[in-house]
Amino acid sequence: MREESLADLLGGRRGAVDATVPPLAFVAGWLATGQSLWGGVIAALAAGAAVAGWRLSRGAKPGAALVGLLAVCLAALIAVRTGRAADFFLIQLVSNAASALAWTLSIVLRWPLLGLIVGAVLRQRTRWRRDPDLLRAYGRASWIWVLQYAVRLAVFLPLYAADQVAALGVARAALTWPLVAACLAVSWWVIRRSLPPDHPGLRHPVTADTRAATPAPT
């Protein structure tokens, strides 16, 4: 049987792909209307509504579908208020900077966010944290997620400062699902390399209780 990976547990492909549609629509509308901010905003809102409707029709929870649309509305509002098309991407800059900081702090405090996320998905609460091997593995792998946000910031910030709207849209698409997929694959590799060969895996934290319940070899 194939070993379960982080991509299997966390998924995220649909959400990551859907997140690229409104920004690309914004850029397309902005260019098609002679770099009109309202042209981009209307196109992005239409695309966001279409994505939310499609997700609802596929059985997504209303809250999850509407969060994406709300983010598009907020991005559009910021751009309209400032009158600068590049500000449509300002939320992405802020969210990536905040995420990089949050993931770094979680590692320093020995509550790595990757462990919290996987533990919640597996309904382990914080039992994984009582396994020293898992705690160390999640901490190391969480640095890959910090790097993911740092890469985005390194690309987005110069483009934002230079007011490169079209390039921001392309970068947003290129650094969403492809980067998330790479992050999942590399962080899974780091976890596997960090765990001892005899460790039972993410679903089975080895705590003091489980060690006591394991029969001694004869």
Side-chain angles (χ1 to χ4, degrees), residues 93 95-101 103-104 143-158 175 179:
L93 287 170
S95 65
N96 277 280
S99 296
L101 178 61
W103 281 77
T104 300
W143 283 115
I144 306 301
W145 292 77
V146 175
L147 180 61
Q148 172 195 205
Y149 298 116
V151 167
R152 289 202 185 105
L153 287 172
V155 174
F156 289 160
L157 279 173
L175 297 179
L179 189 58

Side-chain angles (χ1 to χ4, degrees), residues 147 176 195 207:
L147 180 61
T176 303
L195 291 176
T207 65

Side-chain angles (χ1 to χ4, degrees), residues 123-171:
R123 298 181 181 180
Q124 295 172 342
R125 298 185 179 179
T126 58
R127 189 159 56 92
W128 58 270
R129 201 169 176 273
R130 300 201 303 272
D131 182 337
D133 294 323
L134 269 182
L135 178 59
R136 180 175 60 253
Y138 282 135
R140 291 175 178 175
S142 289
W143 283 115
I144 306 301
W145 292 77
V146 175
L147 180 61
Q148 172 195 205
Y149 298 116
V151 167
R152 289 202 185 105
L153 287 172
V155 174
F156 289 160
L157 279 173
L159 295 176
Y160 176 78
D163 207 24
Q164 296 294 314
V165 179
L168 280 167
V170 173

Side-chain angles (χ1 to χ4, degrees), residues 6 141 144-146 148 177-189:
L6 279 181
I144 306 301
W145 292 77
V146 175
Q148 172 195 205
W177 167 241
L179 189 58
V180 169
C183 188
L184 286 167
V186 175
S187 56
W188 175 233
W189 179 82

Side-chain angles (χ1 to χ4, degrees), residues 191-209:
I191 287 174
R192 292 185 64 186
R193 294 282 295 180
S194 300
L195 291 176
D198 60 345
H199 195 279
L202 304 185
R203 289 186 177 274
H204 307 285
V206 180
T207 65
D209 294 338

